[in-house]
Amino acid sequence: MCEANAYLIDDGEKKLIMEAVDTVEPEGDGIRLISIFGDQKFLKANIHSLSLVDHKIFLKKQDG
Amino acid sequence: MCEANAYLIDDGEKKLIMEAVDTVEPEGDGIRLISIFGDQKFLKANIHSLSLVDHKIFLKKQDG
């Protein structure tokens, strides 16, 4: 499997938000994360960057 | 390895831009894609969505 862990960049810190993320898709004014286990989480954030070989997704809070 | 293929969504069509992408990071007014082979590509686009189990990254051109 090729899932990744999602981290939220907040004030320069990287906080683990969800493990084993499969899908990230835009929804309303944010994004929805869905893990390979079917867990879901909605965040007012954007996808900032990816490092897939390290299994990492970085998210950033939307401005304002 | 856990790389993915990057597709650019343009007028509703999905065009394959780069295979075996490892890293996607913001740079200037766009993003830089780097493959596991070290190939690089710069695009004026954002990361739109991810489907990692399917090994897919979707990018979208910036407005304007």
Side-chain angles (χ1 to χ4, degrees), chain A residues 2 22-24 49-50 52-53, chain B residues 2 22-24 49-50 52-53:
Chain A
C2 198
D22 168 24
T23 306
V24 183
S49 57
L50 306 173
L52 295 180
V53 171
Chain B
C2 196
D22 167 23
T23 305
V24 183
S49 56
L50 306 173
L52 295 179
V53 171

Side-chain angles (χ1 to χ4, degrees), chain B residues 9-59:
Chain B
I9 303 173
D10 192 8
D11 279 332
E13 301 217 339
K14 289 164 184 168
K15 246 192 316 192
L16 180 63
I17 292 289
M18 187 185 263
E19 294 182 293
V21 174
D22 167 23
T23 305
V24 183
E25 50 190 23
E27 184 180 299
D29 58 353
I31 51 176
R32 179 168 298 277
L33 310 177
I34 307 172
S35 80
I36 59 170
F37 309 112
D39 296 329
Q40 300 200 12
K41 208 168 263 189
F42 175 82
L43 284 177
K44 288 197 177 179
N46 297 312
I47 306 169
H48 175 264
S49 56
L50 306 173
S51 182
L52 295 179
V53 171
D54 293 334
H55 295 256
K56 287 180 180 171
I57 302 169
F58 296 105
L59 311 171

